Amino acid sequence: AQRVTQPEKLLSVFKGAPVELKCNYSYSGSPELFWYVQYSRQRLQLLLRHISRESIKGFTADLNKGETSFHLKKPFAQEEDSAMYYCALSGHSNSGYALNFGKGTSLLVTP
Amino acid sequence: NAGVTQTPKFRILKIGQSMTLQCTQDMNHNYMYWYRQDPGMGLKLIYYSVGAGITDKGEVPNGYNVSRSTTEDFPLRLELAAPSQTSVYFCASRATRNTEAFFGQGTRLTVV
């Protein structure tokens, strides 16, 4: 079964502190993983995908197949990082490769 | 760049009414999806399409129908609206399995 787990509903950190949003997955095969961000009342937008290994807005994420994890990290959080973050896994062809989303983690960065 | 466009942005329906949520994309993507987003529940797949003329059910299809007569358009139909369908609906499209999925701005639907 394909599943994405984000164990934290809410994560609150101070500005300048490091932040790590956890994501674990279960998938049979080679996973395609993504992080999406949703700012207040806006559409979801892609933050990172594991295949590109980019760093966007200071965020990075490493795929750890042994631990089946894809945690999102940023060394110094900014107030503008406050948003909802979703980890997503691309499904199999029998679901049209639809993204399976975790329940999301709300990140609040306070001054 | 229009991307994925959804209409309407907001709608209030009475129980038993019907409506169609419109979704169109201008990126020539074959794959299109409808999700609903409920607080604390993430996004759940309602229906998907892998190309014009081909649709299939997702995780939560009951109470909904879709069609895909063209590559660009993927409307979602609600028949006999129920309070349980109060949600935010997102349409999305993508080119292939490992490419970015683009989302519409969402439709906030309330059934009273």
Side-chain angles (χ1 to χ4, degrees), chain A:
Chain A
Q2 308 161 34
R3 187 162 52 243
V4 177
T5 303
Q6 293 179 252
E8 302 132 334
K9 277 190 178 181
L10 173 66
L11 188 61
S12 183
V13 301
F14 289 109
K15 177 182 173 182
V19 62
E20 181 180 49
L21 287 79
K22 291 184 167 49
C23 172
N24 289 90
Y25 67 91
S26 62
Y27 186 76
S28 57
S30 186
E32 298 286 345
L33 285 151
F34 304 80
W35 276 99
Y36 279 80
V37 60
Q38 186 180 29
Y39 300 102
S40 181
R41 301 257 173 159
Q42 293 187 24
R43 71 183 73 199
L44 279 83
Q45 52 189 285
L46 179 69
L47 183 62
L48 283 176
R49 49 183 171 168
H50 90 273
I51 196 170
S52 64
R53 300 186 63 81
E54 294 173 304
S55 173
I56 305 294
K57 299 185 179 181
F59 285 97
T60 59
D62 288 318
L63 176 61
N64 186 323
K65 290 188 178 181
E67 296 183 359
T68 59
S69 68
F70 188 55
H71 302 328
L72 184 68
K73 300 177 183 179
K74 186 170 183 177
F76 306 104
Q78 302 299 316
E79 289 180 68
E80 55 265 29
D81 296 328
S82 295
M84 195 75 179
Y85 291 81
Y86 291 98
C87 184
L89 171 67
S90 196
H92 292 290
S93 60
N94 61 0
S95 67
Y97 303 117
L99 289 171
N100 295 292
F101 287 88
K103 292 185 177 181
T105 298
S106 179
L107 176 64
L108 178 64
V109 182
T110 54

Side-chain angles (χ1 to χ4, degrees), chain A residues 43, chain B residues 1-5 24-27 103-105:
Chain A
R43 71 183 73 199
Chain B
N1 288 344
V4 179
T5 303
T24 188
Q25 52 94 5
D26 61 359
M27 298 170 282
F103 285 80
Q105 72 268 45

Side-chain angles (χ1 to χ4, degrees), chain B residues 20 74 92:
Chain B
T20 299
F74 189 41

